Amino acid sequence: MSKSDGSCGKKVKECIEDTMNETSMTSVMANRISWKTFDTLRKSAFELKPAKKRGAPEEKEPQAQPSHTDDSTDLHSEPPAKKCRRGSQENDIDIARLLDEARSWTPNDVINWSELGRRYGLTIPNGGQIIKQILQKYVESGKLLVGEKVVETKYTTYKVDATDTSKVVEASSCVFAHKIRLLDIRQKLLKKHEDLGLIRNKPDEYYDTLPTTELKLMLEALGENTEGMLDTELSMHLKTISRQRYLKVWHDHSSISGHGHLLVTVSCIYDPAFYYSPLEVPGVDVQSIVERPELHILGRSSSSLEDQASFNQCRLDCIKELAAPISTSTGVPVKDFLRFFHGDGPAQQYEAGNSVGGRYPCVGCGVESTSIHTLEHAFKCRTRTLKERQEFILNGNAWRNGGINIFEKLKVGQLRKELGTRGIPTKGMKKPEMEESFKSIRQGITNIPPLLQPNPTADLETIQLHRYEIAPCEPLHDLKGHFANIIDETEHLLSGNALNAFKQIKAAYLDKTTLRCSDYRRAMILMYLKLQEFNIDQAITEIFQTGVHISHLLYTHEYNRKPSAVLALHNTTFLHGLLCSQVFQKPVTMTTCKMFGRFFHSLTAHSPILFRIISTRSINTENEERIFGQAKAITKATSCNRPNEVITNILLRVQMEQAAHDVMDDRDESQVKKLSKAVGPRPNSVFSNALMVQFEQISDFLLPGEGVWWKHVAQGVEFLDGEDEEMNTRIEPKLMHYRGQSLPDVELYLEQKWEECICSGITVPASSVKY
């Protein structure tokens, strides 16, 4: 054999060993197997077992149990060194003796490999040490990210003194949160999506050579306004938006290993200008892939404002790095923008600097809880931007004192200054009156938004927050909370066979310890189908019907977000709101404020406006919530629960599980879709009674005139927004998009279109409108 053949053989052997090691690491880290359990399973595969005697009873093999005692994930520590005999002569003798002993083994012998290694002075690493070495290589190469330590949390433990059991010893320790830099996440996602062939990634020459007609068609298909643009401007505009990527952030609190933890995730938002559409990549759900969240920050933290505030600076430091673009493998620059925050109610309120719950539960418009159920009032409330919140706080003096709740426990003199700087006269007012007046103009603002707390006067564009909005509607929690209220109240309105059937469906789908939004969505569909069989109030059946259609629209992909769907969501949520106000005037199981609270308000007042610029599926937090469940399951199955090792263990294993199981679990959504087929296509909306404020919300659909999007019928007004109408192509109105419009932009646009309707003399049947 030549030397080249021997060298090639060694390379092949090394390649096979590396592949086997990587496979072992993936099976351990991606399948929630602790390192000691893996070592036990690994050794059992090499043990020589005695032959089974004929007629002897079959012995059951002991199953390896998960261990929680040695799963150390501190990659910065060296594995413990084992004692080894010294001297080449002794080692030679030991090897010879080992070979002699091996030749004497029979199939009936049971070999303990660790003991054998100790007797002959051989260093045999256990399975955990082997995996740890491979993990170290992955971290050094950048395939796995462990992040950096950012926020220190100190805690005190107590235990009985080992030398004197009558004494209790106090011990102090600390735990660090870990942050994977946003820059690393951005580069990782860009490379991943580029390798999958999902991004456009076109060079300059591509845009410079496109003909003008094709440029206009491409821009108009993306919802961009091309009126008055020159040829060079068209090319530059398409190139600019095709190289801009938008991000969304989510955070929440939950208990892991018996302690509260804060989890922050980051993900991309699907934009057809940057990513290919499903028509261009057949058979691939592009939106679901690109919007898969990545773990950004994980640390021990309570839900108190003080603990959460300790993470503000490290979050802001990463966001500032968005100013620097990154590049694809071909050198095409990509500019990232932080666009939305999405989360449940408490997380929204914290991110906006609002009070949690209370009198002003909505972070979007600041509507008061006593009038939140009134549709005409809620529809007229306008969205308050981050810039407006900053200006409101800086107009006073309370923010200069620092602290968390800057408007809490203000003295009389301070209240007079705060009201005076905002043009509110205080002469003759007592402290309770001033406090009430100040609450009414604050509309729930109690604090500086967390990302502005490090520097309240910062320019938003400088710190990359000038396009940042807090989504006022989140489908997962809003649908779940609202459907739960409807089901609880409807049960008290039914009787006889209808009630029995209703209770059976409720018991089948909602009698669980942990209830998900998909459970309520399935229950709503089945309840609607079942209630149609009974002679009950038609309004109750329509509540369930409209609720099912709202759910379907809010989970629609971006490529199915069409003008007819926008109009349908406006009309369906409005009709649903009217029906709920009619049927549940006096709730039995809850207060009116709860029945028509934040969930109801978010769906009826904010979801249609948000849907105009983005698919609300993108704002859904289902995948983010799964990561918390994933972290809990990983810790329970594999962690030793040492505080300093819980976080690192989660970070590594979550990444490995995501890499090994690249497709998100969508079984729940598939089941909902199958049930939805029994409901049938969404019909056109017909209003016999409506409010003028509703027509203001859809003024751009009224403007083209009768016969385009609406027509007079005997019952009132029929809108051509059903699913059967989606194939009809209409020029106006054009879809808006979050890359160019914000929520206040949508509200201003609708106000302008309503003025045009008035000037154009657009009319609707007077009998169908209430002022």
Side-chain angles (χ1 to χ4, degrees):
M1 181 184 293
S2 65
K3 291 184 178 180
S4 60
D5 292 338
S7 175
C8 181
K10 288 181 180 179
K11 289 181 180 180
V12 171
K13 179 185 175 184
E14 290 175 358
C15 181
I16 293 173
E17 289 177 347
D18 290 342
T19 303
M20 290 177 65
N21 288 335
E22 289 183 7
T23 302
S24 298
M25 186 194 68
T26 302
S27 65
V28 172
M29 299 296 290
N31 293 293
R32 300 174 188 172
I33 300 173
S34 70
W35 293 358
K36 187 170 184 179
T37 301
F38 168 71
D39 192 45
T40 304
L41 295 172
R42 184 180 68 92
K43 289 177 180 177
S44 66
F46 293 97
E47 288 180 354
L48 299 178
K49 302 173 185 177
K52 180 184 173 182
K53 294 182 179 180
R54 184 174 298 177
E58 184 176 353
E59 295 183 3
K60 294 185 177 179
E61 299 233 5
Q63 294 183 353
Q65 299 296 324
S67 172
H68 306 281
T69 59
D70 67 335
D71 189 23
S72 174
T73 49
D74 185 3
L75 298 178
H76 303 289
S77 64
E78 294 295 331
K82 294 192 173 183
K83 292 183 179 180
C84 181
R85 298 185 182 182
R86 304 286 181 182
S88 60
Q89 187 176 0
E90 291 183 5
N91 281 337
D92 291 339
I93 295 173
D94 287 339
I95 293 295
R97 288 172 53 201
L98 173 60
L99 292 174
D100 290 339
E101 183 176 343
R103 293 187 185 100
S104 67
W105 291 342
T106 67
N108 294 330
D109 292 333
V110 177
I111 310 301
N112 187 320
W113 297 101
S114 297
E115 176 61 26
L116 190 69
R118 283 191 291 269
R119 274 197 289 121
Y120 288 95
L122 300 176
T123 303
I124 304 177
N126 61 40
Q129 291 170 341
I130 294 172
I131 300 297
K132 186 174 179 179
Q133 293 168 3
I134 304 171
L135 279 175
Q136 185 68 50
K137 294 179 182 179
Y138 266 56
V139 171
E140 291 173 354
S141 65
K143 291 182 180 180
L144 287 177
L145 303 173
V146 294
E148 57 191 35
K149 297 178 179 180
V150 285
V151 178
E152 180 183 11
T153 303
K154 295 182 179 180
Y155 64 96
T156 305
T157 58
Y158 299 89
K159 59 183 179 180
V160 177
D161 193 348
T163 58
D164 186 356
T165 57
S166 64
K167 294 182 180 180
V168 176
V169 180
E170 179 181 313
S172 297
S173 186
C174 64
V175 178
F176 283 92
H178 280 246
K179 177 184 76 171
I180 299 175
R181 290 179 59 198
L182 185 57
L183 178 61
D184 295 334
I185 296 174
R186 291 162 55 200
Q187 292 172 336
K188 173 186 174 182
L189 290 177
L190 185 62
K191 182 180 184 305
K192 175 184 176 182
H193 298 159
E194 183 183 4
D195 292 344
L196 291 173
L198 303 181
I199 65 175
R200 299 194 179 276
N201 196 23
K202 302 293 185 183
D204 293 346
E205 295 76 17
Y206 170 80
Y207 300 99
D208 296 338
T209 56
L210 284 174
T212 304
T213 53
E214 191 170 347
L215 283 169
K216 286 186 175 181
L217 287 174
M218 293 174 70
L219 286 168
E220 288 172 359
L222 295 171
E224 297 294 316
N225 184 13
T226 61
E227 187 176 353
M229 281 190 178
L230 301 175
D231 292 353
T232 54
E233 293 174 333
L234 291 170
S235 175
M236 180 59 67
H237 186 55
L238 180 60
K239 179 165 56 176
T240 300
I241 65 174
S242 298
R243 295 176 176 180
Q244 291 177 344
R245 186 175 59 169
Y246 296 89
L247 308 175
K248 56 181 177 176
V249 65
W250 170 91
H251 59 65
D252 200 3
H253 281 84
S254 190
S255 176
I256 299 176
S257 187
H259 297 279
H261 283 74
L262 172 70
L263 174 62
V264 183
T265 67
V266 174
S267 54
C268 301
I269 310 176
Y270 176 74
D271 181 2
F274 185 80
Y275 297 101
Y276 286 115
S277 69
L279 294 177
E280 297 169 296
V281 191
V284 178
D285 188 350
V286 182
Q287 183 173 351
S288 297
I289 294 174
V290 303
E291 292 182 346
R292 187 171 185 176
E294 292 287 332
L295 203 151
H296 178 33
I297 298 175
L298 179 62
R300 183 184 285 193
S301 169
S302 70
S303 58
S304 68
L305 296 177
E306 291 78 9
D307 279 6
Q308 292 185 78
S310 61
F311 291 85
N312 294 340
Q313 185 64 60
C314 69
R315 288 181 59 198
L316 185 60
D317 290 341
C318 276
I319 293 171
K320 288 179 180 179
E321 294 178 350
L322 291 173
I326 57 178
S327 300
T328 65
S329 61
T330 57
V332 175
V334 175
K335 181 73 172 71
D336 287 323
F337 295 94
L338 185 59
R339 191 63 182 85
F340 286 105
F341 172 83
H342 62 140
D344 61 7
Q348 291 175 16
Q349 290 157 342
Y350 170 75
E351 193 72 6
N354 262 37
S355 58
V356 178
R359 184 172 163 183
Y360 298 94
C362 179
V363 300
C365 61
V367 64
E368 196 170 359
S369 59
T370 54
S371 55
I372 196 171
H373 63 283
T374 310
L375 293 177
E376 53 266 38
H377 175 77
F379 281 8
K380 291 181 179 179
C381 295
R382 293 292 171 254
T383 303
R384 182 178 278 186
T385 64
L386 184 64
K387 180 66 175 176
E388 290 170 343
R389 291 175 180 276
Q390 182 190 36
E391 291 174 349
F392 177 85
I393 291 169
L394 296 181
N395 280 341
N397 296 303
W399 65 274
R400 300 180 186 276
N401 300 326
I404 300 298
N405 289 316
I406 59 175
F407 298 127
E408 192 177 47
K409 298 179 181 179
L410 294 179
K411 297 180 180 179
V412 174
Q414 293 173 319
L415 281 169
R416 291 191 188 278
K417 286 183 180 180
E418 293 296 323
L419 290 170
T421 56
R422 294 172 176 85
I424 307 296
T426 59
K427 187 176 181 179
M429 294 177 64
K430 296 182 179 180
K431 185 177 180 180
E433 295 173 320
M434 287 190 288
E435 288 177 335
E436 182 64 26
S437 178
F438 194 37
K439 284 181 181 178
S440 65
I441 63 173
R442 285 194 287 122
Q443 295 181 336
I445 295 178
T446 59
N447 202 7
I448 302 169
L451 293 176
L452 293 177
Q453 286 178 13
N455 183 8
T457 61
D459 177 62
L460 295 185
E461 187 167 358
T462 302
I463 60 175
Q464 303 300 308
L465 291 175
H466 55 295
R467 306 185 75 173
Y468 188 50
E469 291 187 280
I470 299 165
C473 173
E474 192 280 296
L476 178 74
H477 292 90
D478 291 336
L479 286 173
K480 178 183 174 182
H482 182 56
F483 286 172
N485 292 342
I486 289 176
I487 291 170
D488 288 344
E489 279 300 308
T490 302
E491 189 172 344
H492 294 272
L493 301 176
L494 301 176
S495 61
N497 293 333
L499 178 60
N500 293 334
F502 189 86
K503 285 183 176 180
Q504 287 177 0
I505 297 173
K506 184 177 179 181
Y509 285 89
L510 305 179
D511 189 14
K512 300 179 181 179
T513 304
T514 303
L515 289 171
R516 297 167 294 181
C517 181
S518 58
D519 296 323
Y520 283 100
R521 293 174 67 197
R522 287 198 293 265
M524 287 286 290
I525 294 171
L526 291 171
M527 288 172 177
Y528 163 64
L529 296 173
K530 199 66 179 177
L531 290 176
Q532 287 181 302
E533 301 175 5
F534 302 99
N535 185 21
I536 62 172
D537 186 356
Q538 184 64 24
I540 296 177
T541 307
E542 290 181 1
I543 285 177
F544 283 82
Q545 181 188 30
T546 53
V548 169
H549 291 320
I550 291 170
S551 170
H552 175 71
L553 288 165
L554 292 181
Y555 275 78
T556 297
H557 284 80
E558 170 63 26
Y559 44 84
N560 288 327
R561 188 176 66 93
K562 302 174 182 178
S564 58
V566 172
L567 179 60
L569 188 59
H570 270 288
N571 289 331
T572 309
T573 52
F574 178 70
L575 180 58
H576 183 78
L578 286 180
L579 291 167
C580 288
S581 301
Q582 172 190 335
V583 174
F584 305 125
Q585 289 183 5
K586 295 181 180 180
V588 177
T589 63
M590 64 194 74
T591 63
T592 303
C593 287
K594 181 180 179 182
M595 182 69 218
F596 299 99
R598 182 174 56 82
F599 302 134
F600 174 84
H601 174 73
S602 295
L603 293 173
T604 55
H606 290 298
S607 66
I609 301 297
L610 185 63
F611 191 67
R612 280 180 173 267
I613 62 173
I614 186 172
S615 163
T616 45
R617 183 186 184 90
S618 299
I619 304 298
N620 186 15
T621 62
E622 203 148 1
N623 292 334
E624 286 77 6
E625 297 282 351
R626 282 196 182 113
I627 292 184
F628 242 139
Q630 193 178 1
K632 292 179 182 180
I634 286 171
T635 302
K636 183 177 180 180
T638 67
S639 177
C640 60
N641 291 320
R642 296 190 188 107
N644 287 312
E645 297 174 4
V646 168
I647 292 174
T648 313
N649 184 47
I650 292 172
L651 285 173
L652 293 174
R653 288 181 181 268
V654 164
Q655 292 177 73
M656 288 300 300
E657 287 189 13
Q658 287 183 342
H661 314 293
D662 199 41
V663 179
M664 297 298 290
D665 185 5
D666 61 348
R667 286 175 293 178
D668 292 335
E669 183 66 19
S670 298
Q671 292 175 8
V672 173
K673 286 182 178 179
K674 288 179 182 178
L675 285 175
S676 298
K677 293 179 180 179
V679 177
R682 183 184 66 252
N684 287 343
S685 302
V686 179
F687 291 99
S688 56
N689 290 296
L691 299 173
M692 183 62 72
V693 69
Q694 163 64 3
F695 291 123
E696 294 178 18
Q697 295 275 303
I698 56 173
S699 54
D700 51 340
F701 289 94
L702 298 177
L703 193 58
E706 185 175 1
V708 181
W709 286 105
W710 59 279
K711 62 182 179 181
H712 295 163
V713 293
Q715 298 91 336
V717 182
E718 179 180 352
F719 288 93
L720 309 179
D721 58 0
E723 289 186 44
D724 295 336
E725 302 286 343
E726 290 183 356
M727 300 305 295
N728 297 334
T729 56
R730 302 177 178 88
I731 299 176
E732 297 290 343
K734 293 181 179 179
L735 274 178
M736 306 177 77
H737 200 273
Y738 65 83
R739 84 173 79 87
Q741 286 87 26
S742 63
L743 296 175
D745 291 337
V746 175
E747 294 166 351
L748 179 61
Y749 162 80
L750 294 177
E751 290 176 3
Q752 294 171 347
K753 292 300 178 181
W754 181 246
E755 291 296 327
E756 291 181 30
C757 285
I758 295 174
C759 296
S760 302
I762 300 295
T763 60
V764 293
S767 59
S768 68
V769 179
K770 293 182 179 180
Y771 293 87

